[in-house]
Amino acid sequence: MAEEIKELIAKIQEEGIKTAEAKAKEIENSARKNAGEIVARARSDAENIIIEAKGKAKKAEDSAEALLKQAGRDLLLGLRKEINALLNKIAVLNVRQVLTPEELVKIIAGLIKEQHLKEGENIVVSLRKEDLEKIEKGLLAELSEKIKKGIVLKSSEDVSGGFIISFDSQKSHFDFSDKALADYISTHLKPKLSQILKTE
């Protein structure tokens, strides 16, 4: 009887060991399978994170490049504006230096001599206050008595150099002021300046 109990215990132990080994094998296989899935998911997540990071980096790079280009354009526009303003100042200064009272007398006298006034119309010349007296003496000396009668010389706050002339009692006028002449000169110089500053 003791022998049978021993055999029964041995058999139970053997079956218990086999069951435990089978269960352990099953747990091990399940763990391996889960580990494989976890690793695969981790790889997939890692790849997605890398793709997303590359996308964000590309967007940031594109954005930085666009900002840089815009800053470059803004700088160039600002530079052009500054250069154009400087160009206008230089042109005005040079025109003022060239249009001395003596030169103005010659130019105005030449323009007036070519004109034939209609009855009742005057030639009105608007000048800088400082030039008016000098030009009046010189101009009237240049022109005959007949022409002098229809000429009106007046000072104007709008003229800082040069003159504005009207041949029809100021219904219309021609602007030969320093600013108008400088604008005209600058208009011809600006395309060349733009060509120099042109970007790709």
Side-chain angles (χ1 to χ4, degrees):
M1 180 90 167
E3 195 63 39
E4 287 176 7
I5 290 173
K6 273 186 183 178
E7 281 178 25
L8 184 62
I9 291 171
K11 192 172 180 186
I12 289 170
Q13 280 179 338
E14 195 179 313
E15 283 178 12
I17 290 170
K18 282 182 184 174
T19 303
E21 283 177 352
K23 191 71 178 166
K25 192 90 165 162
E26 188 182 319
I27 291 169
E28 185 183 341
N29 288 339
S30 176
R32 280 197 179 139
K33 183 182 173 193
N34 287 344
E37 287 173 3
I38 290 168
V39 168
R41 200 176 318 121
R43 279 193 183 130
S44 174
D45 289 349
E47 283 173 10
N48 288 337
I49 289 167
I50 289 167
I51 289 166
E52 191 179 335
K54 282 181 179 175
K56 284 181 180 175
K58 178 78 172 112
K59 278 183 188 173
E61 187 182 330
D62 291 347
S63 178
E65 192 175 326
L67 285 170
L68 228 93
K69 281 182 181 176
Q70 185 60 48
R73 279 192 290 268
D74 291 348
L75 179 68
L76 192 58
L77 287 172
L79 181 63
R80 279 184 183 158
K81 192 175 176 182
E82 292 277 330
I83 291 173
N84 283 333
L86 184 61
L87 183 68
N88 282 342
K89 283 181 186 174
I90 291 168
V92 166
L93 185 64
N94 284 319
V95 168
R96 280 184 190 155
Q97 287 174 351
V98 170
L99 293 178
T100 61
E102 295 77 22
E103 284 300 315
L104 288 173
V105 166
K106 289 180 195 171
I107 295 167
I108 295 168
L111 288 170
I112 291 172
K113 285 176 184 175
E114 299 293 319
Q115 296 302 313
H116 302 287
L117 291 176
K118 293 180 184 174
E119 190 66 36
E121 286 190 334
N122 291 323
I123 295 173
V124 181
V125 182
S126 301
L127 300 152
R128 184 171 75 129
K129 187 177 180 180
E130 293 84 354
D131 292 336
L132 183 62
E133 196 176 309
K134 295 174 190 172
I135 289 171
E136 192 170 24
K137 288 176 186 173
L139 185 62
L140 296 178
E142 279 277 324
L143 302 171
S144 69
E145 284 299 318
K146 186 180 175 187
I147 296 176
K148 288 178 194 176
K149 289 177 186 173
I151 299 169
V152 177
L153 297 178
K154 65 176 199 165
S155 66
S156 172
E157 296 290 323
D158 297 331
V159 180
S160 56
F163 63 97
I164 297 172
I165 190 165
S166 170
F167 296 103
D168 54 9
S169 299
Q170 291 190 300
K171 292 175 194 153
S172 63
H173 67 270
F174 296 95
D175 193 343
F176 295 100
S177 65
D178 53 355
K179 289 177 185 168
L181 293 172
D183 284 345
Y184 178 76
I185 291 166
S186 295
T187 300
H188 289 285
L189 293 177
K190 282 178 186 173
K192 290 181 183 178
L193 181 64
S194 292
Q195 200 63 28
I196 292 167
L197 296 175
K198 191 175 181 183
T199 56
E200 294 298 315

Short mmCIF file of all heavy atoms in Angstrom, two decimals, residues 25-86:
data_model
loop_
_atom_site.label_atom_id
_atom_site.label_comp_id
_atom_site.label_asym_id
_atom_site.label_seq_id
_atom_site.Cartn_x
_atom_site.Cartn_y
_atom_site.Cartn_z
N LYS A 25 5.87 26.85 -20.79
CA LYS A 25 6.13 26.95 -22.23
C LYS A 25 5.11 27.88 -22.87
O LYS A 25 5.45 28.73 -23.71
CB LYS A 25 6.07 25.54 -22.84
CG LYS A 25 6.60 25.46 -24.23
CD LYS A 25 8.07 25.15 -24.17
CE LYS A 25 8.52 24.71 -25.54
NZ LYS A 25 9.95 24.80 -25.66
N GLU A 26 3.85 27.71 -22.48
CA GLU A 26 2.77 28.55 -23.03
C GLU A 26 2.98 30.02 -22.65
O GLU A 26 2.83 30.91 -23.48
CB GLU A 26 1.43 28.03 -22.46
CG GLU A 26 0.20 28.67 -23.07
CD GLU A 26 -1.08 28.16 -22.42
OE1 GLU A 26 -1.20 26.97 -22.13
OE2 GLU A 26 -1.96 29.02 -22.20
N ILE A 27 3.34 30.24 -21.39
CA ILE A 27 3.61 31.61 -20.92
C ILE A 27 4.79 32.21 -21.67
O ILE A 27 4.75 33.36 -22.09
CB ILE A 27 3.84 31.62 -19.39
CG1 ILE A 27 2.51 31.31 -18.65
CG2 ILE A 27 4.42 32.95 -18.92
CD1 ILE A 27 2.67 31.02 -17.17
N GLU A 28 5.83 31.37 -21.85
CA GLU A 28 7.04 31.83 -22.56
C GLU A 28 6.68 32.21 -24.00
O GLU A 28 7.10 33.26 -24.50
CB GLU A 28 8.10 30.73 -22.53
CG GLU A 28 9.42 31.16 -23.14
CD GLU A 28 10.44 30.02 -23.18
OE1 GLU A 28 10.30 29.03 -22.45
OE2 GLU A 28 11.38 30.17 -23.98
N ASN A 29 5.91 31.32 -24.67
CA ASN A 29 5.51 31.59 -26.07
C ASN A 29 4.66 32.85 -26.15
O ASN A 29 4.83 33.68 -27.06
CB ASN A 29 4.74 30.40 -26.66
CG ASN A 29 5.65 29.21 -26.93
OD1 ASN A 29 6.87 29.37 -27.05
ND2 ASN A 29 5.09 28.01 -26.99
N SER A 30 3.74 33.00 -25.21
CA SER A 30 2.87 34.18 -25.18
C SER A 30 3.72 35.44 -24.95
O SER A 30 3.50 36.48 -25.59
CB SER A 30 1.83 34.01 -24.07
OG SER A 30 1.04 35.17 -23.97
N ALA A 31 4.69 35.34 -24.03
CA ALA A 31 5.57 36.47 -23.73
C ALA A 31 6.40 36.85 -24.96
O ALA A 31 6.58 38.03 -25.27
CB ALA A 31 6.47 36.14 -22.56
N ARG A 32 6.90 35.81 -25.66
CA ARG A 32 7.70 36.06 -26.88
C ARG A 32 6.83 36.77 -27.94
O ARG A 32 7.29 37.69 -28.59
CB ARG A 32 8.25 34.75 -27.43
CG ARG A 32 9.47 34.31 -26.70
CD ARG A 32 10.24 33.26 -27.49
NE ARG A 32 11.42 32.90 -26.73
CZ ARG A 32 11.87 31.70 -26.60
NH1 ARG A 32 11.26 30.68 -27.18
NH2 ARG A 32 12.96 31.46 -25.90
N LYS A 33 5.60 36.24 -28.08
CA LYS A 33 4.69 36.82 -29.07
C LYS A 33 4.39 38.28 -28.71
O LYS A 33 4.45 39.17 -29.55
CB LYS A 33 3.39 36.00 -29.10
CG LYS A 33 2.40 36.48 -30.15
CD LYS A 33 1.13 35.66 -30.08
CE LYS A 33 0.10 36.25 -31.02
NZ LYS A 33 -1.22 35.72 -30.81
N ASN A 34 4.07 38.53 -27.42
CA ASN A 34 3.79 39.89 -26.96
C ASN A 34 5.01 40.79 -27.12
O ASN A 34 4.89 41.95 -27.51
CB ASN A 34 3.33 39.88 -25.50
CG ASN A 34 1.91 39.34 -25.34
OD1 ASN A 34 1.17 39.27 -26.31
ND2 ASN A 34 1.56 38.96 -24.12
N ALA A 35 6.17 40.25 -26.79
CA ALA A 35 7.41 41.03 -26.92
C ALA A 35 7.63 41.40 -28.38
O ALA A 35 8.01 42.54 -28.70
CB ALA A 35 8.59 40.25 -26.38
N GLY A 36 7.37 40.46 -29.30
CA GLY A 36 7.52 40.73 -30.74
C GLY A 36 6.57 41.84 -31.18
O GLY A 36 6.95 42.74 -31.94
N GLU A 37 5.32 41.76 -30.69
CA GLU A 37 4.33 42.79 -31.04
C GLU A 37 4.73 44.15 -30.48
O GLU A 37 4.61 45.18 -31.14
CB GLU A 37 2.95 42.39 -30.51
CG GLU A 37 2.29 41.26 -31.30
CD GLU A 37 0.99 40.77 -30.65
OE1 GLU A 37 0.57 41.36 -29.63
OE2 GLU A 37 0.42 39.81 -31.18
N ILE A 38 5.24 44.13 -29.22
CA ILE A 38 5.67 45.38 -28.57
C ILE A 38 6.84 45.99 -29.34
O ILE A 38 6.86 47.20 -29.60
CB ILE A 38 6.05 45.14 -27.09
CG1 ILE A 38 4.77 44.84 -26.29
CG2 ILE A 38 6.79 46.32 -26.50
CD1 ILE A 38 5.02 44.30 -24.89
N VAL A 39 7.80 45.16 -29.73
CA VAL A 39 8.96 45.64 -30.48
C VAL A 39 8.51 46.20 -31.83
O VAL A 39 8.94 47.28 -32.26
CB VAL A 39 10.02 44.51 -30.65
CG1 VAL A 39 11.08 44.91 -31.67
CG2 VAL A 39 10.66 44.18 -29.32
N ALA A 40 7.59 45.46 -32.53
CA ALA A 40 7.10 45.91 -33.83
C ALA A 40 6.37 47.24 -33.69
O ALA A 40 6.55 48.17 -34.50
CB ALA A 40 6.17 44.86 -34.44
N ARG A 41 5.53 47.37 -32.62
CA ARG A 41 4.80 48.61 -32.39
C ARG A 41 5.76 49.74 -32.06
O ARG A 41 5.61 50.87 -32.54
CB ARG A 41 3.81 48.41 -31.24
CG ARG A 41 2.69 49.45 -31.24
CD ARG A 41 1.61 49.24 -30.18
NE ARG A 41 1.19 47.86 -30.00
CZ ARG A 41 1.27 47.19 -28.85
NH1 ARG A 41 1.77 47.77 -27.77
NH2 ARG A 41 0.87 45.94 -28.77
N ALA A 42 6.77 49.43 -31.27
CA ALA A 42 7.77 50.44 -30.89
C ALA A 42 8.52 50.92 -32.13
O ALA A 42 8.77 52.12 -32.29
CB ALA A 42 8.74 49.87 -29.87
N ARG A 43 8.87 49.97 -33.03
CA ARG A 43 9.56 50.35 -34.27
C ARG A 43 8.66 51.25 -35.13
O ARG A 43 9.11 52.26 -35.67
CB ARG A 43 9.93 49.10 -35.07
CG ARG A 43 11.19 48.44 -34.58
CD ARG A 43 11.70 47.41 -35.56
NE ARG A 43 12.86 46.74 -35.01
CZ ARG A 43 13.04 45.45 -34.95
NH1 ARG A 43 12.10 44.63 -35.40
NH2 ARG A 43 14.13 44.94 -34.45
N SER A 44 7.39 50.86 -35.25
CA SER A 44 6.43 51.64 -36.04
C SER A 44 6.26 53.03 -35.45
O SER A 44 6.28 54.04 -36.18
CB SER A 44 5.09 50.91 -36.08
OG SER A 44 4.11 51.70 -36.70
N ASP A 45 6.12 53.09 -34.11
CA ASP A 45 5.99 54.39 -33.44
C ASP A 45 7.24 55.25 -33.65
O ASP A 45 7.14 56.45 -33.90
CB ASP A 45 5.74 54.20 -31.94
CG ASP A 45 4.34 53.66 -31.64
OD1 ASP A 45 3.50 53.63 -32.57
OD2 ASP A 45 4.09 53.26 -30.48
N ALA A 46 8.39 54.61 -33.55
CA ALA A 46 9.66 55.32 -33.73
C ALA A 46 9.76 55.87 -35.15
O ALA A 46 10.16 57.02 -35.36
CB ALA A 46 10.84 54.40 -33.43
N GLU A 47 9.36 55.04 -36.14
CA GLU A 47 9.40 55.49 -37.54
C GLU A 47 8.44 56.66 -37.75
O GLU A 47 8.79 57.66 -38.42
CB GLU A 47 9.03 54.34 -38.48
CG GLU A 47 10.16 53.34 -38.67
CD GLU A 47 9.73 52.10 -39.47
OE1 GLU A 47 8.62 52.10 -40.04
OE2 GLU A 47 10.51 51.14 -39.51
N ASN A 48 7.23 56.58 -37.15
CA ASN A 48 6.27 57.67 -37.28
C ASN A 48 6.79 58.95 -36.63
O ASN A 48 6.61 60.05 -37.17
CB ASN A 48 4.92 57.29 -36.64
CG ASN A 48 4.17 56.25 -37.47
OD1 ASN A 48 4.41 56.13 -38.67
ND2 ASN A 48 3.30 55.51 -36.83
N ILE A 49 7.44 58.79 -35.46
CA ILE A 49 8.01 59.96 -34.77
C ILE A 49 9.10 60.60 -35.63
O ILE A 49 9.17 61.82 -35.76
CB ILE A 49 8.56 59.56 -33.38
CG1 ILE A 49 7.38 59.26 -32.43
CG2 ILE A 49 9.45 60.64 -32.79
CD1 ILE A 49 7.77 58.56 -31.15
N ILE A 50 9.94 59.75 -36.25
CA ILE A 50 11.03 60.25 -37.12
C ILE A 50 10.44 60.98 -38.33
O ILE A 50 10.89 62.08 -38.68
CB ILE A 50 11.97 59.10 -37.55
CG1 ILE A 50 12.79 58.63 -36.34
CG2 ILE A 50 12.88 59.53 -38.69
CD1 ILE A 50 13.53 57.32 -36.55
N ILE A 51 9.41 60.38 -38.96
CA ILE A 51 8.77 61.00 -40.14
C ILE A 51 8.16 62.35 -39.75
O ILE A 51 8.31 63.35 -40.44
CB ILE A 51 7.71 60.05 -40.75
CG1 ILE A 51 8.41 58.87 -41.44
CG2 ILE A 51 6.81 60.78 -41.72
CD1 ILE A 51 7.48 57.71 -41.79
N GLU A 52 7.45 62.36 -38.60
CA GLU A 52 6.82 63.60 -38.13
C GLU A 52 7.87 64.66 -37.81
O GLU A 52 7.71 65.83 -38.16
CB GLU A 52 6.00 63.28 -36.87
CG GLU A 52 5.09 64.42 -36.45
CD GLU A 52 4.25 64.07 -35.22
OE1 GLU A 52 4.00 62.87 -34.98
OE2 GLU A 52 3.87 65.01 -34.52
N ALA A 53 8.96 64.24 -37.17
CA ALA A 53 10.03 65.18 -36.82
C ALA A 53 10.68 65.75 -38.08
O ALA A 53 10.96 66.95 -38.15
CB ALA A 53 11.08 64.47 -35.96
N LYS A 54 10.88 64.87 -39.10
CA LYS A 54 11.46 65.35 -40.36
C LYS A 54 10.51 66.35 -41.03
O LYS A 54 10.96 67.36 -41.58
CB LYS A 54 11.73 64.17 -41.30
CG LYS A 54 12.99 63.40 -40.96
CD LYS A 54 13.22 62.27 -41.94
CE LYS A 54 14.50 61.51 -41.61
NZ LYS A 54 14.68 60.34 -42.47
N GLY A 55 9.21 66.05 -40.98
CA GLY A 55 8.21 66.95 -41.56
C GLY A 55 8.23 68.30 -40.88
O GLY A 55 8.21 69.35 -41.53
N LYS A 56 8.28 68.29 -39.54
CA LYS A 56 8.32 69.54 -38.77
C LYS A 56 9.61 70.31 -39.06
O LYS A 56 9.59 71.54 -39.19
CB LYS A 56 8.20 69.26 -37.27
CG LYS A 56 6.79 68.92 -36.83
CD LYS A 56 6.72 68.68 -35.34
CE LYS A 56 5.29 68.34 -34.92
NZ LYS A 56 5.19 67.98 -33.50
N ALA A 57 10.72 69.57 -39.15
CA ALA A 57 12.01 70.21 -39.44
C ALA A 57 11.98 70.86 -40.82
O ALA A 57 12.47 71.98 -41.01
CB ALA A 57 13.13 69.19 -39.35
N LYS A 58 11.36 70.18 -41.79
CA LYS A 58 11.27 70.71 -43.17
C LYS A 58 10.40 71.96 -43.19
O LYS A 58 10.75 72.96 -43.83
CB LYS A 58 10.68 69.63 -44.09
CG LYS A 58 10.48 70.06 -45.52
CD LYS A 58 11.80 70.04 -46.27
CE LYS A 58 11.58 70.28 -47.75
NZ LYS A 58 12.10 71.54 -48.23
N LYS A 59 9.26 71.89 -42.45
CA LYS A 59 8.39 73.06 -42.37
C LYS A 59 9.12 74.24 -41.74
O LYS A 59 9.02 75.37 -42.20
CB LYS A 59 7.13 72.74 -41.55
CG LYS A 59 6.05 72.03 -42.34
CD LYS A 59 4.83 71.82 -41.48
CE LYS A 59 3.79 70.94 -42.21
NZ LYS A 59 2.66 70.58 -41.33
N ALA A 60 9.84 73.95 -40.65
CA ALA A 60 10.59 75.01 -39.96
C ALA A 60 11.66 75.59 -40.88
O ALA A 60 11.86 76.81 -40.93
CB ALA A 60 11.23 74.46 -38.69
N GLU A 61 12.33 74.73 -41.63
CA GLU A 61 13.38 75.17 -42.57
C GLU A 61 12.77 76.02 -43.67
O GLU A 61 13.30 77.09 -44.00
CB GLU A 61 14.06 73.93 -43.17
CG GLU A 61 15.26 74.26 -44.04
CD GLU A 61 15.88 73.01 -44.65
OE1 GLU A 61 15.80 71.93 -44.04
OE2 GLU A 61 16.42 73.13 -45.75
N ASP A 62 11.62 75.55 -44.24
CA ASP A 62 10.94 76.31 -45.29
C ASP A 62 10.47 77.66 -44.77
O ASP A 62 10.58 78.68 -45.46
CB ASP A 62 9.74 75.52 -45.84
CG ASP A 62 10.17 74.29 -46.64
OD1 ASP A 62 11.38 74.18 -46.96
OD2 ASP A 62 9.31 73.43 -46.92
N SER A 63 9.93 77.65 -43.54
CA SER A 63 9.44 78.89 -42.93
C SER A 63 10.60 79.87 -42.71
O SER A 63 10.49 81.06 -43.01
CB SER A 63 8.76 78.57 -41.61
OG SER A 63 8.33 79.74 -40.98
N ALA A 64 11.71 79.35 -42.20
CA ALA A 64 12.90 80.19 -41.96
C ALA A 64 13.43 80.75 -43.27
O ALA A 64 13.79 81.93 -43.35
CB ALA A 64 13.98 79.39 -41.24
N GLU A 65 13.42 79.92 -44.31
CA GLU A 65 13.90 80.35 -45.63
C GLU A 65 12.99 81.44 -46.19
O GLU A 65 13.46 82.44 -46.73
CB GLU A 65 13.93 79.15 -46.59
CG GLU A 65 14.68 79.44 -47.87
CD GLU A 65 14.79 78.20 -48.75
OE1 GLU A 65 14.91 77.09 -48.23
OE2 GLU A 65 14.76 78.37 -49.98
N ALA A 66 11.66 81.24 -46.05
CA ALA A 66 10.70 82.25 -46.52
C ALA A 66 10.88 83.56 -45.77
O ALA A 66 10.85 84.64 -46.37
CB ALA A 66 9.27 81.73 -46.36
N LEU A 67 11.07 83.48 -44.44
CA LEU A 67 11.29 84.69 -43.64
C LEU A 67 12.57 85.40 -44.04
O LEU A 67 12.62 86.62 -44.11
CB LEU A 67 11.35 84.33 -42.15
CG LEU A 67 10.01 84.00 -41.48
CD1 LEU A 67 10.24 83.44 -40.08
CD2 LEU A 67 9.11 85.22 -41.40
N LEU A 68 13.60 84.61 -44.33
CA LEU A 68 14.88 85.18 -44.76
C LEU A 68 14.73 85.90 -46.10
O LEU A 68 15.25 87.01 -46.28
CB LEU A 68 15.92 84.06 -44.89
CG LEU A 68 17.23 84.37 -44.21
CD1 LEU A 68 17.20 83.81 -42.81
CD2 LEU A 68 18.37 83.78 -44.98
N LYS A 69 14.01 85.24 -47.04
CA LYS A 69 13.78 85.86 -48.35
C LYS A 69 13.00 87.16 -48.20
O LYS A 69 13.31 88.16 -48.84
CB LYS A 69 13.02 84.90 -49.27
CG LYS A 69 13.90 83.83 -49.88
CD LYS A 69 13.10 82.94 -50.82
CE LYS A 69 13.99 81.84 -51.40
NZ LYS A 69 13.23 80.90 -52.24
N GLN A 70 11.95 87.13 -47.36
CA GLN A 70 11.13 88.32 -47.14
C GLN A 70 11.96 89.43 -46.51
O GLN A 70 11.86 90.59 -46.90
CB GLN A 70 9.92 87.98 -46.25
CG GLN A 70 8.95 89.14 -46.07
CD GLN A 70 8.36 89.62 -47.38
OE1 GLN A 70 7.91 88.83 -48.20
NE2 GLN A 70 8.38 90.92 -47.61
N ALA A 71 12.80 89.05 -45.54
CA ALA A 71 13.68 90.05 -44.90
C ALA A 71 14.63 90.64 -45.93
O ALA A 71 14.89 91.85 -45.92
CB ALA A 71 14.45 89.40 -43.76
N GLY A 72 15.14 89.80 -46.83
CA GLY A 72 16.03 90.27 -47.90
C GLY A 72 15.31 91.24 -48.83
O GLY A 72 15.86 92.29 -49.20
N ARG A 73 14.06 90.88 -49.20
CA ARG A 73 13.27 91.77 -50.08
C ARG A 73 12.99 93.09 -49.38
O ARG A 73 13.12 94.16 -49.98
CB ARG A 73 11.96 91.09 -50.47
CG ARG A 73 12.10 90.09 -51.61
CD ARG A 73 10.74 89.67 -52.16
NE ARG A 73 10.00 88.85 -51.22
CZ ARG A 73 10.04 87.53 -51.17
NH1 ARG A 73 10.81 86.87 -52.00
NH2 ARG A 73 9.33 86.86 -50.29
N ASP A 74 12.61 93.02 -48.09
CA ASP A 74 12.32 94.24 -47.32
C ASP A 74 13.56 95.13 -47.23
O ASP A 74 13.47 96.35 -47.37
CB ASP A 74 11.83 93.89 -45.91
CG ASP A 74 10.44 93.26 -45.92
OD1 ASP A 74 9.77 93.31 -46.97
OD2 ASP A 74 10.03 92.72 -44.87
N LEU A 75 14.70 94.49 -47.00
CA LEU A 75 15.96 95.24 -46.91
C LEU A 75 16.26 95.93 -48.23
O LEU A 75 16.63 97.10 -48.27
CB LEU A 75 17.11 94.29 -46.52
CG LEU A 75 18.48 94.93 -46.42
CD1 LEU A 75 18.55 95.88 -45.23
CD2 LEU A 75 19.55 93.86 -46.28
N LEU A 76 16.08 95.19 -49.34
CA LEU A 76 16.36 95.74 -50.66
C LEU A 76 15.40 96.89 -50.98
O LEU A 76 15.82 97.92 -51.51
CB LEU A 76 16.26 94.64 -51.72
CG LEU A 76 16.80 94.98 -53.10
CD1 LEU A 76 18.27 95.38 -53.02
CD2 LEU A 76 16.64 93.81 -54.05
N LEU A 77 14.11 96.72 -50.63
CA LEU A 77 13.13 97.79 -50.87
C LEU A 77 13.49 99.03 -50.05
O LEU A 77 13.41 100.15 -50.55
CB LEU A 77 11.72 97.31 -50.52
CG LEU A 77 11.10 96.32 -51.50
CD1 LEU A 77 9.78 95.77 -50.94
CD2 LEU A 77 10.85 96.94 -52.85
N GLY A 78 13.87 98.80 -48.80
CA GLY A 78 14.29 99.91 -47.95
C GLY A 78 15.52 100.61 -48.51
O GLY A 78 15.60 101.85 -48.52
N LEU A 79 16.46 99.81 -48.99
CA LEU A 79 17.68 100.36 -49.57
C LEU A 79 17.36 101.17 -50.82
O LEU A 79 17.88 102.27 -51.01
CB LEU A 79 18.65 99.21 -49.91
CG LEU A 79 19.99 99.61 -50.52
CD1 LEU A 79 20.80 100.46 -49.54
CD2 LEU A 79 20.79 98.36 -50.90
N ARG A 80 16.48 100.62 -51.67
CA ARG A 80 16.08 101.35 -52.89
C ARG A 80 15.43 102.68 -52.52
O ARG A 80 15.71 103.71 -53.15
CB ARG A 80 15.09 100.52 -53.70
CG ARG A 80 15.75 99.47 -54.54
CD ARG A 80 14.74 98.74 -55.39
NE ARG A 80 15.42 97.70 -56.14
CZ ARG A 80 14.82 96.65 -56.63
NH1 ARG A 80 13.53 96.47 -56.47
NH2 ARG A 80 15.50 95.75 -57.31
N LYS A 81 14.56 102.64 -51.51
CA LYS A 81 13.86 103.85 -51.09
C LYS A 81 14.87 104.89 -50.61
O LYS A 81 14.79 106.07 -50.97
CB LYS A 81 12.88 103.49 -49.97
CG LYS A 81 11.90 104.57 -49.64
CD LYS A 81 10.90 104.06 -48.61
CE LYS A 81 9.95 105.17 -48.18
NZ LYS A 81 9.02 104.72 -47.16
N GLU A 82 15.82 104.44 -49.78
CA GLU A 82 16.87 105.35 -49.27
C GLU A 82 17.71 105.92 -50.41
O GLU A 82 18.00 107.12 -50.44
CB GLU A 82 17.80 104.59 -48.30
CG GLU A 82 17.15 104.17 -47.00
CD GLU A 82 17.11 105.27 -45.98
OE1 GLU A 82 18.00 106.13 -45.99
OE2 GLU A 82 16.16 105.28 -45.18
N ILE A 83 18.10 105.05 -51.34
CA ILE A 83 18.93 105.51 -52.47
C ILE A 83 18.15 106.47 -53.35
O ILE A 83 18.70 107.48 -53.80
CB ILE A 83 19.48 104.30 -53.27
CG1 ILE A 83 20.51 103.55 -52.42
CG2 ILE A 83 20.11 104.75 -54.58
CD1 ILE A 83 21.00 102.25 -53.01
N ASN A 84 16.86 106.18 -53.60
CA ASN A 84 16.04 107.08 -54.41
C ASN A 84 15.89 108.44 -53.74
O ASN A 84 15.96 109.48 -54.41
CB ASN A 84 14.65 106.47 -54.67
CG ASN A 84 14.70 105.40 -55.74
OD1 ASN A 84 15.55 105.42 -56.62
ND2 ASN A 84 13.78 104.46 -55.67
N ALA A 85 15.70 108.44 -52.41
CA ALA A 85 15.59 109.71 -51.68
C ALA A 85 16.91 110.49 -51.77
O ALA A 85 16.91 111.70 -52.00
CB ALA A 85 15.24 109.44 -50.22
N LEU A 86 18.02 109.76 -51.63
CA LEU A 86 19.33 110.39 -51.74
C LEU A 86 19.56 110.92 -53.16
O LEU A 86 20.06 112.03 -53.35
CB LEU A 86 20.43 109.38 -51.37
CG LEU A 86 21.86 109.91 -51.34
CD1 LEU A 86 22.02 111.01 -50.30
CD2 LEU A 86 22.83 108.77 -51.04
#
